[in-house]
Amino acid sequence: MNTPGGLLVLGFGGHARSIADVGLALGIKHFCFIDVNARPNEFFGKFPVLPVWEGKLPANWAVMPASGSNSIRQTQYDWACTQGWPLATLIAPTSTIGYGAKIGEGSFIAQHAHVGPMASLGVGCVINTGAIVEHDCDIGEFTHISVNATVAGKGYVGSFCFVGAGATVIDSVRITEGVTLGAGACAHRDIKEPGTYVGVPAQRLDNK
């Protein structure tokens, strides 16, 4: 994957700053953040934070959807696509990517994360700091695997899911789309209905 010379980062929350940190580690020299809540003359270090973007994207730049929210990240992704601008895919230099793994465009692999051999990520995914997506896993579009979470071998997590910090999806377990798995929870069997699941073993919140 080619590293762009500059990055237009859509958002300026904590996730966007983590993206910039990885971009700097990859040697990207130029950044601009777009956030509707930007203050006048706001900067992140030497990089500007603007409320809107006007004009063309500079040559050799790419766009990075940078919201931790799956739905907002999809909106950012779709907007970049309507502009005809290239989407960045950022993989931190401290992460490990296994043989044959497929990473969808607009995805972000954070520091010390691991994506195992033959795993597959859809577009717009986040594999956050220290998270593990093991061998032969399949992760849907715009899904966020949070800090230190684990999806064990041959696991399946559908689109628009959020696997919370430190949560675990056991080997070969399948999770349908639109599921939130709470921090520290353990999905030990298939989850077939959207909703929020918490605890060990994970149970749907509105059933508790």
Side-chain angles (χ1 to χ4, degrees):
M1 297 179 183
N2 294 329
T3 301
L7 203 62
L8 182 62
V9 182
L10 304 183
F12 189 55
H15 186 62
R17 300 173 197 215
S18 294
I19 285 172
D21 187 58
V22 167
L24 289 166
L26 290 169
I28 297 175
K29 303 295 184 184
H30 305 286
F31 295 84
C32 182
F33 298 84
I34 304 300
D35 194 299
V36 294
N37 297 314
R39 300 188 299 271
N41 301 313
E42 187 170 9
F43 284 81
F44 178 62
K46 63 180 180 179
F47 305 116
V49 184
L50 305 177
V52 295
W53 178 266
E54 298 178 351
K56 297 180 179 180
L57 193 71
N60 199 32
W61 279 51
V63 179
M64 191 70 205
S67 175
S69 161
N70 295 331
S71 59
I72 295 174
R73 196 164 62 258
Q74 183 197 25
T75 299
Q76 294 170 337
Y77 178 97
D78 290 346
W79 179 77
C81 289
T82 62
Q83 302 299 314
W85 291 342
L87 275 294
T89 301
L90 289 190
I91 299 175
T94 58
S95 66
T96 53
I97 307 298
Y99 174 79
K102 297 179 180 179
I103 314 295
E105 70 173 357
S107 292
F108 174 62
I109 314 298
Q111 303 282 14
H112 306 291
H114 172 72
V115 177
M118 308 308 293
S120 177
L121 308 182
V123 301
C125 284
V126 175
I127 311 301
N128 221 322
T129 306
I132 297 172
V133 175
E134 257 301 350
H135 65 86
D136 302 287
C137 285
D138 190 357
I139 308 298
E141 297 181 349
F142 304 104
T143 280
H144 188 153
I145 310 299
S146 194
V147 175
N148 291 327
T150 298
V151 183
K154 299 183 180 180
Y156 172 83
V157 181
S159 298
F160 297 97
C161 288
F162 182 85
V163 178
T168 302
V169 179
I170 296 297
D171 301 58
S172 301
V173 163
R174 297 180 62 84
I175 294 178
T176 193
E177 67 180 21
V179 167
T180 294
L181 189 62
C186 178
H188 72 299
R189 59 186 178 186
D190 293 356
I191 295 178
K192 300 179 180 180
E193 296 183 5
T196 298
Y197 294 77
V198 298
V200 181
Q203 299 181 52
R204 191 169 178 176
L205 190 60
D206 57 7
N207 289 339
K208 298 191 74 174

